[in-house]
Every structure is written in structure tokens, then in C-alpha cells.
Amino acid sequence: MKTLAVYNIKGGVGKTTATVNLAYEASRSGARVLVWDLDPQSAATFYFRVAAHIEGGGKRLVRGKTDLAGQIRGTDFPNLELLPADFSYRHMDRVLGQGDAPRDRLRELLRPLAKRYDCVLFDCPPSISLVSESVFAAADALLVPLIPTTLSLRTLNQLSAFRDERPHLRDLRVLPFLSMVDRRKRLHRDVLERLAARRSDFLHTHIPYASEAEKMGLHRAPIGSYARRSPAAAAFEQLWDEIQQQLYEPAPLPNGSVPEVTTPAGRPCVICACPLAAGPRGLQCPNCGYAEEG
Amino acid sequence: MSTRLEYQLEAGQPDQLAARLGEIGHLRACGRQRVERTWFDTFDWRLYRRGQVLEQDTSGPSSAVRWRRLVDGGLEAAFANTVPRFARELRPGPLRERLLALIDARALLPAASVRCEQTTYALENSEQKTVARIRTEVAHTPGGPVHRLAVEPVPGYPEPVARVRDLLEQELSLPPAGEDLFYLAVGATGRQPGDYQSRLQVELDPQMAAGAAARRVLGLLLEKVLANLDGARQDIDIEFLHDLRTAVRRSRSALRQFRGVLHPHLAEHLGEALRWVGTVTTPVRDLDVHQVEFEQVWPSYEPELFAAMRPVGALLVTERERERQKLVRHLGSRRFAEVLDLWRRLLNQADPPASLAPRAGEPIGRLAARRIRKLHRRMRRDGRAIGPETPDEAVHDLRKLGKKLRYTIEMFQSLYPRQMVKPALAGLKQLQDCLGRFNDLTVQQADFRTWAGHFSQQPGTAGTLLAMGQMIERLRHEQRAVRAAFQRHFGDFDRPVVRRRLAALGRPPGNS
């Protein structure tokens, strides 16, 4: 199960639109998807026509007193499910702070769902808070929508700095992409050109500013379900493809023509060539049991 | 996870039903269409064996695929596309990973098809939110039209589904659908789901005469060869040839274990003939293994190294095609037909006189125990003699011996309680994996040297030659590591607990 968080410190950049549409495209591509709407404004919940309500509120959910799986609702689309928002999520920072190891809490809550879903998408509220830190600790990657303006791009630097200062977030990938791009605006065109020349860390697909996106509130559904052939739907489909490639293509091994004597995790087992995984005795082959003592 | 409800309908019933279901919530008609439904699985039913099916509905240019569980109809995945031939053809992502984990390199083949007319509805609540999906359909099976209604619950909305269930079961007394359409459709093709598996499963009784047991084993192995022949000729996927070769190897091993049981001249001729089959099928299989490495392992090497190795990947493709054409000729040759004739003649022959086959009447339980005992003893003796300085040939010989022991145990496993066989084989597996990898590394180094000869004749291939040198160095390095690991694996195999498990199989079943 991959956990992705659609996140930006800034509000109004298209986070919820991205969450709902990426989740829809992910489920269309054959993934089993859960959206967790963490924003007390509950816009993603509204788009999926689900009541914004958690039995017992967010506090009992976070403390593990409400069965999380029992709160999940199916959407109108196969294999796309939602853990709805609740207005009490506005106090989630405080609730997390009252418990032990608050940063690990969301990851712990998701653990039992690992076999049920291929992908969990968090729709996060803006700002940096304990909730966002808990999201960062649970996520494999942050998907960061950015409007092509100077102020918006500045928030990416703030986010990167925040991650770099925390060693436990070293493996967290940040995948920024441009959202609400209006090519009629000179500033947007300029930013696009500059980014193409200077930044290789951005996803190549950008989401156009589109009236179809604004109609999501009317249809209460992802764009692809009512405007399949629109440029916005095509952009979200392409963006999901790109994200999948980033997350699932094997990363090349570090340079060096001769392999090291010990076999780090992920490298092939010396017996059966299966990738080794961390086990109780050190690195172990899940196929033949070959173990490198740790 | 939600469970799909399915009911039998009668012709004309769906329209009346729609009105009744509308009393529970708003029933929105989503569409009516004619579809060609096709179920896909691998030749050895890898999805079915895990209780799953892959069904594709095609209507004109559009198609949709559902990957679902047979037991409860729950969806594993749904995607708007056609079923790929191979899982590796899918884009990187969770669907590809999950399907690859189940079917690996096997092709997805159509198992059966039916024409269906279907109408789909969404049962909606006051927010126009779908709370259940409903489908009525007529499937035109060879046995006649089958009318069905399926209700797919939406997680989190149990009440409307409970009311639908009450209506259909209590008020309208609709009978449950019974067998999944998948079984009806596949059954109509003359096949049965799960009718082929790679594993050799032969039922023997300890008191059975060895001659009859030998014919049963070799008969099943011939069936495996014949089942895989067309797939290997047509190159549907690489596992057809692999299974064919495995059946041939097992047969050669069986002929050796049944010496003194079968007609000696026929058995010897068949053994030689099967050796020829093994030889002519080896080049394609070796190239298949290399191609799998090229596709799955090599991309994880450094980008520069992988790029420099691309010409080798291209060479593999052309070499394989050349060898495959030769293989098709061999498998269609008179000589191959004669091998099959000889095999059938051996199976159809009654027990030869005792002077030719003195052990034909011996109870198979006793013979099996003796063979396992001897092979295990040899394996321990030869393995203990291997030290750090022993030439590699001894390691290769031990691999062959281990394979014989495994094949013999598997061939005779029905003679023993299951709880005795599985742990015994598990004790052997790790050592065999180690020995197998050692052998693969030897073959791969030799192949790289051969290919290097090919590239050295061509201009502009210095980068590729250097990369091949690096690859050989990697393989040698890995081989040294495997050789160093051998002592530990053999030590594990030679532990008292594993010895006892294997020794137990060396006592005639029923006498332990």
C-alpha cells in the first residue's frame, strides 16, 4: 500500500480537486483506493456525496476507540472508498498532541488497511501543524499542487526546508506539480518556461485551469466521470500515470561496477536472486530464507 | 469487504423488479447494453486456484475488466481497458504488481466467452448517492439463456441492501443464482477450471506393484508433455516449454528410479530419446532465462551499464527467434513423433518376464523407500566431501543428485502422509536453491563469453564489450559468495532434524 498526501502549506491551490480526481483516475487504472478527507471543511467528502460525519467524532477515531474500517464509505465508483471528514477534525492537532507519539498516529491507524487498499490519498488541510507532521510520517510521498505564481512556489521551498531539517522524513518524497495553470496569463507562461529549464524535480504534467473543475461542485463527482474527454480529465489521468511511474519503477542501484560483498536490502539474494528484505536476523530472502546476519 | 448477492430470474421478470426496487430508493437506470463477456486465466489456472477470475465485457470499441473473487463476487480491481496478454505489459503501478505476483510470466488466455444483454441500475439515497449497484442480465450460454440479477453493496450503506435482500428473498422468493456463470461458460468449452497444473500429482498405493506404478507415473508425465506441446510450439508463453522440459527431466529421472521394473531395452531407448528432447529444448530455455534477467534484473543496474548492455538484449531476441525456429522443427519432426510412440509403447506393454524386469512385482512402497534412502545417503556423503578447495564440478554433480532426490520424493509423495513430505522437501530446498544459482552463474558466464565473441567481430561495440566484462565480474563475484554460502546451506541440510525427516521417507510407508 502506498500512502500519498496531497498537501500544500497554502490554501486554494487545488488540493481537494487534485485528491478527488487523482483518486478517481487511480481507481480507473485498477488500484483499490481510499481517500481520507482530513480537512474539516470536508470538500472531498462533499464531492463524493458522503455525509461528513464520523461516529463519536475525530477524537475517538484518532485514539482508536472507533473502528476506523467501519467508518469507510463506498463512493459512486468501484474500488474508490472514502473515510469522511468530520467538523471535529478542527481539533485534531490538540487531540494528537494529547496522545503518545502523535507523529506516528495516522500511520498506526492505517496499518490494518494495508492489504485492503493499494493506495491511500490524504486530502490535507493547509498550514504546517501536528496533523501535517503526522501525515508526513505516514506518507510515502507528498503531492504538492502549486499555482504558477512566485508566492505559491515559495511555499515549496518552505516545505522542502521543513522536511530536510527532520531526519525521520529523509525518505519522504516530494512530488510538486503545477495546478490551475492558465496559459492566457503571461505570468503562468513565464513560470512554466522557467521551471522547465531549471527544475527537474517537478512532475511534467500540469493541471490546466478549467471550467470543468469548477463544475465539480455541481456534479459532486470527479471530472472524468462527467467530462471524460475534457483536457482537465486527461491531465489528471496523465498525472496519475506519471505518479505511478515515479512510485513503482525500480530505482537504479548506486554507481559502482562491482557489487559490495554484503547485500543491502532490495539487492538480489546470492542464492535465488530475489530482493532481500529486512528480517529479524538481518537481511533475509523471502523466497529461499537466505540470511545475511545483521 | 462487501459480498455480492446474485439471484435467478425468469424471462420478463426484470421490468417488474425495477418498479419494486424503486420503492426502496431512487433507482437510476445507468444503461442497457449487449456485451461479449470473456473470462481470462493462465493455462495453469493461477487466478482460479486463488479463487479469482478476470472477466472482460466488450461492447463495440469499449471494454471494461473486472477482477473479482469467486467466493463473494468482491472486486479485486476494475479497469477500463482490455485484459493484457502479460501482466508485464501493464503500466507500472499496483495493478501490474498484484497481477505479476499471481501470474508471473504466464500469458492470460481466453477461457470462455458468452454473449450477455445487461441493464445496470444505481440505487440512490436522498443525496443521489449510489448505495447499491444492481444489474440484471441474460447470458446466452450453450445450455440456453440464463437470467440473473446481481446486487453489489456499497461499503458503509448496509440498510438499503438489507431492504433489497428482504424484498428479493422474502417477498419475491427469488432463488439464489447457484453456480457462477464462469463455471457454466468454461464447462461448455469442454474444459474444467483447474484441469491442468504444473505440479506432478500422482496417486500411488504402497502395495501397488512397481510395474503398474511406473506406468502410472510415466503416463501422467506424458500427459504433461502433450498438454504443453502446442503452447511450446506456438510460443504462447515461456512456461509451456519449461513445463514440457520439467516433465521430460522427471521422466528421465523416473526411468532411472524404475530400473529393474520396466522393459530394459525400451526404457533405455526412451531414456536416450528423452535426453535428445532435453538437449534440443535447452537453447531456447536458456535464452528465456536470460531474457527474464534482462527485463527484470538488469534494469536495476546502473543506468550506464544497462544502456551499454542493450545490444546484448537485442542479440538475445534474435538468437532466441533463431533457436525457436529450430525448436519448432524439432518438435514437429519425425524423430520427436517416434519418441512419443516409444513412450506410448512402453506404457501399453504388460510387465516383461522376471528375467528382464525382476522388480516389476515389488510393492512400490518398498522400492520408493529404498531409492530415497540411497539418494539421501549419497547426497550426504558427496556433500560432506566438498570443501573450499574442491573443484566446482563436484558442486555441479551434487546439484544433479539433489534434483534426483527431489524428483524421487515428489514422484512418490502420495505414499507418505503429507506432514512427512513437506518438511523433508523444505529441508532440501535451500540447499538446492544455492546449488541451482551456482550452476546458473556458471552458465551465464559462459554465455556472456560466447556473446562477447559475437560482439568482438563488430565495430563500435567497445562499450558493450566492457559492460559484458563488468557483468562477468559481477557474476563471478556472486558465484564466489554463493560458493562460500554452500557450506552453511549444506550444514543446514545435514542437521539431525532434516536428516531424520529424510530418513523417515527412507523407511517403507506403513513401517515407520
Side-chain angles (χ1 to χ4, degrees):
Chain A
M1 183 177 82
K2 301 277 186 201
T3 306
L4 310 174
V6 183
Y7 177 80
N8 193 323
I9 299 170
K10 195 175 174 314
V13 295
K15 285 192 294 292
T16 301
T17 303
T19 308
V20 169
N21 287 292
L22 286 173
Y24 174 74
E25 295 302 336
S27 70
R28 278 189 87 241
S29 74
R32 298 164 300 174
V33 183
L34 175 72
V35 172
W36 188 346
D37 186 356
L38 284 170
D39 191 339
Q41 292 180 61
S42 65
T45 304
F46 172 80
Y47 283 147
F48 285 124
R49 297 174 184 271
V50 174
H53 175 66
I54 294 285
E55 274 171 32
K59 187 171 171 180
R60 288 181 63 81
L61 187 78
V62 168
R63 293 191 173 168
K65 291 183 177 167
T66 302
D67 172 32
L68 184 138
Q71 300 304 307
I72 290 172
R73 302 285 177 263
T75 68
D76 290 3
F77 312 99
N79 277 352
L80 171 50
E81 295 175 0
L82 173 81
L83 187 57
D86 189 279
F87 195 52
S88 63
Y89 281 0
R90 67 193 188 281
H91 303 307
M92 198 183 267
D93 246 13
R94 199 179 67 215
V95 174
L96 281 170
Q98 287 165 351
D100 294 335
R103 286 175 190 84
D104 300 333
R105 194 62 200 129
L106 294 185
R107 190 174 53 208
E108 291 299 320
L109 286 168
L110 284 176
R111 203 186 295 274
L113 302 178
K115 288 204 171 151
R116 183 166 158 182
Y117 298 102
D118 299 309
C119 176
V120 174
L121 275 155
F122 287 116
D123 186 25
C124 304
S127 86
I128 285 196
S129 61
L130 199 50
V131 176
S132 25
E133 284 197 60
S134 189
V135 165
F136 296 170
D140 295 297
L142 298 185
L143 308 175
V144 187
L146 294 157
I147 300 175
T149 62
T150 317
L151 209 56
S152 176
L153 295 174
R154 194 173 150 264
T155 61
L156 178 65
N157 296 337
Q158 288 173 323
L159 176 62
S160 300
F162 183 85
R163 180 197 58 178
D164 296 344
E165 284 162 12
R166 285 159 180 77
H168 68 281
L169 297 179
R170 203 177 38 207
D171 294 334
L172 177 66
R173 298 181 70 179
V174 175
L175 302 174
F177 63 95
L178 291 177
S179 152
M180 302 165 76
V181 176
D182 187 347
R183 283 185 172 274
R184 290 168 303 183
K185 293 182 179 168
R186 178 163 191 150
L187 174 65
H188 284 204
R189 289 200 305 272
D190 286 351
V191 171
L192 275 175
E193 263 174 43
R194 257 188 297 145
L195 280 178
R198 294 182 198 167
R199 297 289 293 256
S200 60
D201 55 336
F202 270 63
L203 294 168
H204 298 296
T205 311
H206 58 256
I207 306 300
Y209 177 82
S211 57
E212 287 93 350
E214 289 179 339
K215 288 181 193 157
M216 280 175 69
L218 285 176
H219 291 278
R220 297 184 67 181
I223 300 167
S225 68
Y226 60 84
R228 184 71 238 153
R229 293 179 178 194
S230 65
F236 278 115
E237 185 178 18
Q238 197 180 325
L239 183 62
W240 174 247
D241 272 352
E242 207 184 336
I243 292 166
Q244 282 198 105
Q245 267 188 8
Q246 292 273 343
L247 296 175
Y248 289 91
E249 288 247 305
L253 296 175
N255 279 329
S257 58
V258 178
E260 304 112 58
V261 176
T262 53
T263 315
R267 294 286 296 275
C269 161
V270 296
I271 309 302
C272 62
C274 286
L276 294 184
R281 284 195 291 154
L283 294 170
Q284 255 188 314
C285 173
N287 178 41
C288 69
Y290 168 74
E292 293 275 356
E293 302 287 330
Chain B
M1 284 280 149
S2 31
T3 302
R4 191 170 73 154
L5 311 170
E6 209 171 0
Y7 303 92
Q8 285 179 41
L9 289 180
E10 286 169 17
Q13 223 173 354
D15 295 333
Q16 303 156 17
L17 272 172
R20 296 299 309 273
L21 287 165
E23 294 166 13
I24 295 173
H26 176 247
L27 193 69
R28 181 167 58 84
C30 302
R32 182 180 289 223
Q33 59 178 353
R34 287 181 178 187
V35 298
E36 179 81 14
R37 180 166 305 156
T38 308
W39 287 270
F40 288 81
D41 207 332
T42 60
F43 182 68
D44 54 358
W45 302 99
R46 292 188 184 192
L47 295 172
Y48 169 74
R49 286 184 194 288
R50 284 162 180 86
Q52 298 169 5
V53 285
L54 204 53
E55 58 190 21
Q56 174 180 304
D57 281 355
T58 306
S59 173
S62 65
S63 54
V65 180
R66 282 186 302 274
W67 175 5
R68 64 177 174 86
R69 296 183 293 276
L70 278 166
V71 63
D72 62 1
L75 271 184
E76 287 289 320
F79 50 101
N81 209 328
T82 50
V83 170
R85 178 78 157 175
F86 294 102
R88 62 174 180 265
E89 290 170 4
L90 291 165
R91 286 162 185 261
L95 178 66
R96 184 180 193 266
E97 286 203 344
R98 285 165 59 212
L99 201 53
L100 261 180
L102 283 189
I103 69 170
D104 199 13
R106 292 237 72 155
L108 286 163
L109 305 171
S113 276
V114 293
R115 261 185 322 108
C116 297
E117 282 135 35
Q118 61 181 28
T119 310
T120 47
Y121 303 92
L123 187 68
E124 295 179 341
N125 65 10
S126 57
E127 291 283 300
Q128 292 177 301
K129 160 91 186 71
T130 303
V131 291
R133 298 182 187 95
I134 295 170
R135 186 171 74 192
T136 60
E137 70 181 12
V138 189
H140 299 278
T141 69
V146 175
H147 296 260
R148 294 212 164 157
L149 177 141
V151 181
E152 195 183 301
V154 171
Y157 300 92
E159 293 88 0
V161 174
R163 289 176 62 195
V164 170
R165 183 202 286 254
D166 284 349
L167 172 74
L168 300 177
E169 294 179 11
Q170 309 294 330
E171 289 189 42
L172 302 174
S173 305
L174 290 187
E179 247 186 347
D180 197 288
L181 210 51
F182 163 75
Y183 292 103
L184 297 178
V186 175
T189 65
R191 285 194 76 179
Q192 286 303 316
D195 60 7
Y196 174 83
Q197 60 172 348
S198 302
R199 208 155 51 92
L200 177 67
Q201 205 162 15
V202 46
E203 290 304 320
L204 300 173
D205 180 274
Q207 297 310 318
M208 194 177 188
R215 284 190 288 276
R216 184 173 292 180
V217 169
L218 288 166
L220 278 172
L221 287 166
L222 175 59
E223 277 177 25
K224 296 244 183 258
V225 169
L226 294 175
N228 285 290
L229 196 51
D230 277 348
R233 276 184 189 140
Q234 293 168 30
D235 201 20
I236 292 173
D237 66 43
I238 63 173
E239 295 301 309
F240 283 97
L241 181 64
H242 178 55
D243 278 10
L244 185 148
R245 282 170 51 78
T246 306
V248 166
R249 270 203 309 272
R250 284 184 190 278
S251 303
R252 290 180 62 199
S253 176
L255 287 169
R256 278 191 292 269
Q257 300 314 320
F258 283 121
R259 61 188 177 274
V261 172
L262 297 163
H263 192 291
H265 301 309
L266 278 180
E268 194 187 336
H269 280 146
L270 182 60
E272 280 167 13
L274 292 179
R275 192 155 71 94
W276 171 76
V277 177
T279 307
V280 298
T281 54
T282 294
V284 174
R285 176 63 195 166
D286 283 352
L287 288 160
D288 283 344
V289 174
H290 283 303
Q291 272 196 328
V292 169
E293 292 245 332
F294 179 74
E295 284 164 14
Q296 293 176 10
V297 182
W298 295 8
S300 64
Y301 293 150
E302 302 89 307
E304 303 78 30
L305 180 60
F306 181 56
M309 291 293 287
R310 279 191 187 281
V312 182
L315 177 68
L316 289 178
V317 174
T318 49
E319 280 291 295
R320 184 183 184 278
E321 185 48 34
R322 202 162 56 86
E323 289 298 339
R324 197 186 74 78
Q325 284 174 13
K326 275 196 228 167
L327 173 73
V328 171
R329 282 199 296 275
H330 285 306
L331 294 180
S333 68
R334 176 183 287 240
R335 187 170 176 183
F336 186 75
E338 283 170 2
V339 175
L340 299 180
D341 281 347
L342 181 60
W343 201 329
R344 290 189 187 103
R345 249 192 299 154
L346 187 78
L347 294 176
N348 292 331
Q349 208 175 50
D351 283 339
S355 58
L356 289 174
R359 294 192 176 118
E362 182 178 353
I364 188 62
R366 209 166 69 199
L367 184 134
R370 190 168 63 245
R371 297 291 187 233
I372 292 171
R373 198 166 59 236
K374 280 191 176 171
L375 284 168
H376 181 210
R377 197 182 300 150
R378 273 182 63 196
M379 182 100 189
R380 281 175 52 213
R381 186 195 62 202
D382 293 2
R384 284 174 179 184
I386 294 175
E389 305 303 324
T390 312
D392 287 350
E393 285 67 33
V395 180
H396 291 304
D397 288 344
L398 191 70
R399 179 184 67 87
K400 291 181 198 161
L401 199 54
K403 223 167 200 177
K404 278 183 204 167
L405 177 59
R406 179 163 73 89
Y407 285 165
T408 306
I409 294 172
E410 285 173 349
M411 178 166 71
F412 293 133
Q413 61 182 314
S414 66
L415 297 168
Y416 302 90
R418 190 179 295 177
Q419 66 270 23
M420 279 175 74
V421 177
K422 227 177 152 185
L425 285 172
L428 184 60
K429 186 177 185 311
Q430 204 161 326
L431 174 61
Q432 267 212 287
D433 283 342
C434 170
L435 294 168
R437 186 68 190 151
F438 187 78
N439 182 60
D440 288 349
L441 291 164
T442 307
V443 173
Q444 285 178 21
Q445 287 176 65
D447 286 345
F448 270 111
R449 288 195 179 93
T450 309
W451 300 332
H454 167 89
F455 284 106
S456 66
Q457 314 290 319
Q458 297 179 7
T461 55
T464 302
L465 280 166
L466 283 169
M468 289 169 80
Q470 280 188 27
M471 288 299 292
I472 292 174
E473 185 49 40
R474 271 172 195 261
L475 295 170
R476 276 178 49 192
H477 184 87
E478 188 184 342
Q479 198 175 26
R480 278 198 295 273
V482 174
R483 179 72 200 258
F486 164 79
Q487 300 296 349
R488 183 157 47 84
H489 288 299
F490 185 79
D492 283 348
F493 165 77
D494 207 22
R495 276 177 307 160
V497 60
V498 179
R499 277 210 314 259
R500 275 197 301 276
R501 286 176 192 158
L502 283 158
L505 302 181
R507 287 189 285 277
N511 294 358
S512 51

